Amino acid sequence: MAAEKGHRRRRPIITLITDFGEGYYVAAMKGVILDICQDACIVDITHDIRSHDVLEGAFTLLCTYPYFPPKSVHVAVVDPGVGSERRGIIVATDDHYFVGPDNGVFSFVFNREQVRKVISIESQLYQRGTVSPTFHGRDVFSPVAAWLALGTQLEKFGQEIEDYAGATVLPVQKVEENRLEGMVIHVDKFGNIITSISRDNASQLLGNEGTPKFFLNGHEITHHYSFYAEASPGEVFTLLGSSGYYEIAAHKKRAADILGVERGEKVQLELVTE
Amino acid sequence: MAAEKGHRRRRPIITLITDFGEGYYVAAMKGVILDICQDACIVDITHDIRSHDVLEGAFTLLCTYPYFPPKSVHVAVVDPGVGSERRGIIVATDDHYFVGPDNGVFSFVFNREQVRKVISIESQLYQRGTVSPTFHGRDVFSPVAAWLALGTQLEKFGQEIEDYAGATVLPVQKVEENRLEGMVIHVDKFGNIITSISRDNASQLLGNEGTPKFFLNGHEITHHYSFYAEASPGEVFTLLGSSGYYEIAAHKKRAADILGVERGEKVQLELVTE
Amino acid sequence: MAAEKGHRRRRPIITLITDFGEGYYVAAMKGVILDICQDACIVDITHDIRSHDVLEGAFTLLCTYPYFPPKSVHVAVVDPGVGSERRGIIVATDDHYFVGPDNGVFSFVFNREQVRKVISIESQLYQRGTVSPTFHGRDVFSPVAAWLALGTQLEKFGQEIEDYAGATVLPVQKVEENRLEGMVIHVDKFGNIITSISRDNASQLLGNEGTPKFFLNGHEITHHYSFYAEASPGEVFTLLGSSGYYEIAAHKKRAADILGVERGEKVQLELVTE
């Protein structure tokens, strides 16, 4: 059993979020990773982030990285500025590593985690020999993630920096004494409407009294349930979703279609006291 | 070689079928699984089951689990009743484990396999600390699958039950002396129309004499080939598909479009004797 | 450390390209592979090749296999002739193995790589017991790939052949003294238009003097940048893409939509000298 204790490392996990869509770009990234770190367990989070939508990438990362084991490496490439002067960075928190462009895609992570170090990716030793100015996902971020997963020390990749794109919160603001305004941050495959308003937001900004009432696209939603099947078929209601954000749903129907709502729409929450 | 024999376990395989679509729900499940069972080989069967379509999930499972090695754990989460009183179950057959809601998604398995034991998932030890009432895929079924893949004994998860949703066969019935009625159970990416009628069905219910003639949406299909390229381009014909079900196809064309057929459509088979 | 050196083999990698779409066909292939080669690292390149489009499969393979480690096994199943007399083959180059139908899907590989041996798949030992005439992906190519990944000698699978579908180049021809004609070989998720014309083509056939000007669908594109963010938002321009082919793009917009172009469209390149 000594061997087990002494030599057994955790299997390196590398997760991928991109806006590349399905196809050969992502496959090339995986080839590069496996060529360096053959034991890597590569997990696709999604490659269907809307093209260039850094906010959607950041939100998807926020909803997924916490479930992965310590020392996982999370690569997030939503990178409209690829090839320009924008830097590539590695973010080390107590439990995770993050690799991607310094364009805000890690801003929600900065807001939630204790950041241990942010490194600007500079050393060419850990990049591919020729770096395409249009595909740092393959030529910079994938090899860096693979070397990181192999245990390469942070300092080897480049200098520590402090002036990276900082922490931001999901878009939520208090617009009236008892009213918050947020946005529709995601519409899932079921047509459930996920808002940027979390229960924590609501209680910090509005307190805990009153019953929640949601307003979006001219509709008022007052019924609140804790799971989908509690509602009657087709009934629109609110729910505290599995990632901690309020969502608007309809039992076995697409709430987004019923209410005519897309990602980006404004949504308001009021706590109504009698 | 003793080491090989003595210590080498098969690599744990966990397959996933859901109606969650592509995105962060599935990724969270994978994170949870890998956090418990770091060696798991996770295989996505599909996440594009139509929302809430338990029958489609059950059919997809039927067409895939037999190809996986013994002791694979198959997770099937098509679960409109999540959060309600419907139970979560583990099904153990001689060769496989199945994990998911007790809502019929395993009914075709019950019909084909010798069931060794069905366990109601009760122990909270093998679930996440906080269970969201809307996401048992992540908080119940994923950790249970991971612990099962690690070799946890069935009895630890809960009590054996007998009153689970039982065996069903694919929808096929004899409607006339020499005629069966089934349904279109799937339309694949090529536009091939997969029916619920298997060769076994046909021979059990109609015997083996006569030539098969199919009827659907006002069309009669009489040509029968054994592979696609046997037909002329565009010709519509029937075929015994690779999963054992009759299908209606068109060489290099989409039969579903030509015949105007979608999943759910009724289909009849007659064995015509001169 | 002797154990490391002596026994450690590279982890077997098997990549998959098919036109099967998402769903249970691909999953069955993976089950078959894992049942034979439990340590296989299976990488999906894509399953969204247009149905029966051998050229698209061949191009996708060309853009991905070079990034994978030596000894990877690349399975490419775009196979409209499945079940007919067309052969299945294994191609061995110095660094890679390729498995699939002998229908041209490896023609670009033949053009780029030194081919060591091409084997006609004959032995039924390495196929599934029953081979469906419509699904060689599952019953022939997957088990062959798995046995190959396990180290089975080439000769065991069948005879060496010389009369396989040979090398071809991507469709590019010189149509005037200083003008090439190629085609749109791919439109990616961003709407970038990837052409079949590489920089190597252009310099071999037209020389290196002059500035490149592209013509397609009645449009002339003269601006050339090296990365996307160099252009003004919406500006259409050309770029040397990350796979070595010229592409036509628009910063943060879909060039394919702006120019009304789909895969297959003709495209011309002229080198203009003053």
Side-chain angles (χ1 to χ4, degrees):
Chain A
M1 295 305 284
E4 288 271 319
K5 275 201 209 140
H7 297 291
R8 181 79 185 251
R9 295 198 319 111
R10 277 199 82 93
R11 180 181 176 203
I13 293 175
I14 297 176
T15 77
L16 304 178
I17 294 176
T18 76
D19 59 350
F20 295 162
E22 194 271 347
Y24 62 83
Y25 297 133
V26 173
M29 292 176 66
K30 293 180 183 175
V32 168
I33 289 170
L34 291 168
D35 197 30
I36 295 167
C37 178
Q38 69 160 319
D39 292 324
C41 169
I42 303 175
V43 180
D44 296 300
I45 304 295
T46 184
H47 302 292
D48 280 356
I49 299 296
R50 286 156 202 244
S51 301
H52 320 300
D53 191 335
V54 176
L55 178 65
E56 191 181 13
F59 179 71
T60 300
L61 183 62
L62 187 71
C63 293
T64 47
Y65 82 86
Y67 300 100
F68 284 86
K71 304 303 163 209
S72 295
V73 178
H74 304 283
V75 180
V77 191
V78 184
D79 192 14
V82 61
S84 71
E85 289 299 301
R86 73 98 192 84
R87 292 175 299 203
I89 55 175
I90 304 171
V91 177
T93 67
D94 285 342
D95 274 347
H96 295 271
Y97 294 104
F98 301 88
V99 176
D102 180 22
N103 65 2
V105 75
F106 302 125
S107 292
F108 301 149
V109 171
F110 291 135
N111 188 53
R112 191 195 274 167
E113 296 286 330
Q114 184 67 36
V115 172
R116 204 152 52 75
K117 206 170 263 186
V118 177
I119 297 284
S120 167
I121 298 170
E122 288 154 12
S123 170
Q124 296 182 354
L125 269 181
Y126 305 102
Q127 305 181 24
R128 294 192 74 232
T130 310
V131 172
S132 161
T134 64
F135 197 2
H136 287 194
R138 179 190 68 195
D139 297 340
V140 179
F141 301 127
S142 289
V144 163
W147 285 110
L148 205 50
L150 279 177
T152 307
Q153 284 180 302
L154 279 176
E155 293 66 27
K156 303 263 177 121
F157 294 98
Q159 287 187 48
E160 186 170 358
I161 57 172
E162 311 254 323
D163 62 337
Y164 50 87
T168 52
V169 293
L170 279 165
V172 176
Q173 56 178 326
K174 194 163 179 173
V175 287
E176 284 178 36
E177 183 49 34
N178 57 351
R179 200 180 257 246
L180 294 183
E181 184 171 276
M183 67 177 276
V184 173
I185 194 87
H186 185 63
V187 173
D188 74 13
K189 182 198 166 233
F190 299 98
N192 299 325
I193 299 162
I194 288 89
T195 77
S196 61
I197 306 174
S198 68
R199 185 164 54 182
D200 290 353
N201 274 150
S203 59
Q204 277 161 26
L205 296 172
L206 299 182
N208 291 306
E209 286 182 41
T211 52
K213 191 185 264 193
F214 282 83
F215 302 85
L216 82 170
N217 200 22
H219 301 273
E220 266 185 53
I221 299 106
T222 49
H223 288 192
H224 186 83
Y225 296 119
S226 51
F227 57 90
Y228 303 109
E230 253 180 308
S232 325
E235 184 187 2
V236 176
F237 60 96
T238 64
L239 190 85
L240 188 63
S242 57
S243 296
Y245 299 92
Y246 283 108
E247 65 186 68
I248 291 129
H251 184 41
K252 290 202 178 185
K253 298 276 176 191
R254 299 181 54 82
D257 294 353
I258 295 173
L259 304 181
V261 165
E262 294 189 350
R263 175 164 183 275
E265 188 94 28
K266 289 210 168 7
V267 55
Q268 297 196 332
L269 162 63
E270 191 175 317
L271 285 190
V272 183
T273 46
E274 307 309 299
Chain B
M1 294 306 282
E4 287 271 320
K5 277 202 209 138
H7 297 292
R8 181 78 185 251
R9 295 197 319 112
R10 277 198 83 93
R11 180 181 176 203
I13 292 175
I14 297 176
T15 78
L16 304 178
I17 294 175
T18 76
D19 60 349
F20 295 163
E22 194 272 347
Y24 62 83
Y25 298 133
V26 173
M29 292 176 66
K30 293 180 183 175
V32 168
I33 289 170
L34 291 169
D35 197 29
I36 294 167
C37 179
Q38 67 159 321
D39 292 324
C41 170
I42 303 174
V43 180
D44 296 299
I45 305 296
T46 183
H47 301 292
D48 281 356
I49 299 296
R50 284 156 204 244
S51 302
H52 320 300
D53 190 335
V54 175
L55 178 66
E56 191 181 13
F59 178 71
T60 300
L61 183 62
L62 188 72
C63 293
T64 47
Y65 81 86
Y67 300 101
F68 284 86
K71 302 304 163 209
S72 294
V73 178
H74 304 283
V75 180
V77 190
V78 184
D79 193 13
V82 61
S84 71
E85 289 300 301
R86 74 96 192 83
R87 291 176 298 203
I89 56 175
I90 303 171
V91 177
T93 67
D94 284 343
D95 274 347
H96 294 272
Y97 294 104
F98 300 88
V99 176
D102 180 21
N103 65 2
V105 74
F106 303 124
S107 292
F108 300 149
V109 171
F110 292 134
N111 188 55
R112 190 194 276 166
E113 297 285 332
Q114 185 66 37
V115 172
R116 205 152 50 76
K117 205 170 264 187
V118 177
I119 298 283
S120 166
I121 298 169
E122 289 155 11
S123 170
Q124 296 182 355
L125 268 181
Y126 305 102
Q127 303 181 24
R128 293 191 75 232
T130 310
V131 172
S132 161
T134 64
F135 197 3
H136 287 194
R138 180 190 67 194
D139 297 340
V140 178
F141 301 127
S142 289
V144 163
W147 285 110
L148 205 50
L150 279 177
T152 307
Q153 285 180 301
L154 279 175
E155 294 66 27
K156 303 261 176 126
F157 293 98
Q159 287 187 51
E160 186 170 357
I161 57 172
E162 310 255 322
D163 62 337
Y164 50 87
T168 53
V169 293
L170 278 166
V172 176
Q173 56 179 325
K174 194 163 180 173
V175 288
E176 284 177 36
E177 183 49 33
N178 56 352
R179 200 181 259 246
L180 294 184
E181 184 171 277
M183 67 177 276
V184 173
I185 194 87
H186 184 63
V187 173
D188 74 12
K189 179 194 167 237
F190 300 97
N192 299 325
I193 299 162
I194 288 90
T195 77
S196 60
I197 305 174
S198 68
R199 185 165 53 180
D200 289 353
N201 275 150
S203 60
Q204 278 162 27
L205 296 172
L206 299 182
N208 290 308
E209 287 181 40
T211 51
K213 191 186 263 194
F214 283 83
F215 303 85
L216 80 171
N217 201 22
H219 301 273
E220 266 186 53
I221 298 106
T222 48
H223 289 191
H224 186 83
Y225 296 118
S226 52
F227 56 91
Y228 302 109
E230 252 180 310
S232 326
E235 185 187 0
V236 176
F237 60 97
T238 64
L239 189 84
L240 188 63
S242 57
S243 297
Y245 299 91
Y246 284 108
E247 65 185 68
I248 291 128
H251 184 40
K252 291 203 177 182
K253 298 276 177 192
R254 299 180 54 81
D257 293 354
I258 295 173
L259 304 181
V261 165
E262 294 190 349
R263 177 164 181 275
E265 189 93 28
K266 289 211 169 5
V267 56
Q268 297 196 335
L269 162 64
E270 191 175 316
L271 285 190
V272 183
T273 48
E274 306 310 300
Chain C
M1 293 307 284
E4 287 271 319
K5 276 201 209 140
H7 297 293
R8 181 77 185 253
R9 295 195 320 110
R10 277 199 82 93
R11 180 181 176 202
I13 292 175
I14 297 175
T15 77
L16 305 177
I17 294 176
T18 76
D19 61 349
F20 294 162
E22 193 272 346
Y24 63 82
Y25 298 133
V26 173
M29 292 176 66
K30 293 181 183 176
V32 169
I33 289 171
L34 291 169
D35 196 29
I36 294 167
C37 179
Q38 67 160 324
D39 292 324
C41 169
I42 303 174
V43 180
D44 297 298
I45 305 295
T46 183
H47 302 291
D48 280 356
I49 299 295
R50 286 156 203 244
S51 301
H52 320 299
D53 191 333
V54 175
L55 178 65
E56 191 181 12
F59 179 71
T60 300
L61 183 61
L62 187 71
C63 293
T64 47
Y65 81 86
Y67 300 101
F68 284 86
K71 303 303 164 208
S72 294
V73 178
H74 304 283
V75 180
V77 191
V78 184
D79 193 11
V82 63
S84 71
E85 289 299 301
R86 73 97 192 84
R87 293 175 297 203
I89 55 174
I90 304 172
V91 178
T93 67
D94 285 342
D95 274 347
H96 294 271
Y97 295 104
F98 301 88
V99 176
D102 180 23
N103 64 1
V105 74
F106 303 125
S107 292
F108 300 148
V109 171
F110 292 134
N111 188 53
R112 190 195 275 167
E113 296 286 330
Q114 184 66 37
V115 172
R116 205 152 51 75
K117 204 170 267 187
V118 177
I119 298 283
S120 167
I121 297 170
E122 288 155 11
S123 170
Q124 294 181 358
L125 269 181
Y126 305 103
Q127 303 181 24
R128 293 191 74 231
T130 310
V131 172
S132 162
T134 63
F135 197 3
H136 287 195
R138 180 191 66 194
D139 297 340
V140 179
F141 302 127
S142 289
V144 164
W147 285 110
L148 204 50
L150 278 177
T152 307
Q153 284 180 302
L154 280 175
E155 293 65 28
K156 304 261 177 125
F157 293 98
Q159 288 187 49
E160 185 169 358
I161 56 172
E162 311 254 324
D163 61 337
Y164 49 87
T168 52
V169 293
L170 278 166
V172 176
Q173 56 178 327
K174 192 164 180 174
V175 287
E176 284 178 36
E177 182 50 33
N178 57 352
R179 201 182 258 245
L180 295 183
E181 184 171 277
M183 67 177 277
V184 174
I185 193 87
H186 184 63
V187 173
D188 74 12
K189 183 198 164 232
F190 300 98
N192 298 325
I193 298 161
I194 288 90
T195 77
S196 61
I197 306 173
S198 68
R199 185 165 53 181
D200 289 354
N201 275 151
S203 59
Q204 278 161 25
L205 296 172
L206 299 183
N208 290 306
E209 285 181 41
T211 51
K213 192 186 263 194
F214 283 83
F215 302 85
L216 82 170
N217 201 21
H219 301 273
E220 266 185 55
I221 299 107
T222 48
H223 289 193
H224 186 82
Y225 296 118
S226 51
F227 57 91
Y228 303 108
E230 254 180 308
S232 326
E235 184 187 1
V236 175
F237 60 97
T238 64
L239 189 84
L240 187 65
S242 57
S243 298
Y245 300 92
Y246 283 108
E247 65 185 69
I248 291 128
H251 184 39
K252 291 202 175 183
K253 299 276 178 193
R254 298 181 55 81
D257 293 353
I258 294 173
L259 305 181
V261 165
E262 294 190 349
R263 176 164 182 276
E265 189 94 29
K266 288 210 168 5
V267 55
Q268 297 196 333
L269 162 64
E270 190 174 318
L271 284 190
V272 183
T273 46
E274 307 309 301

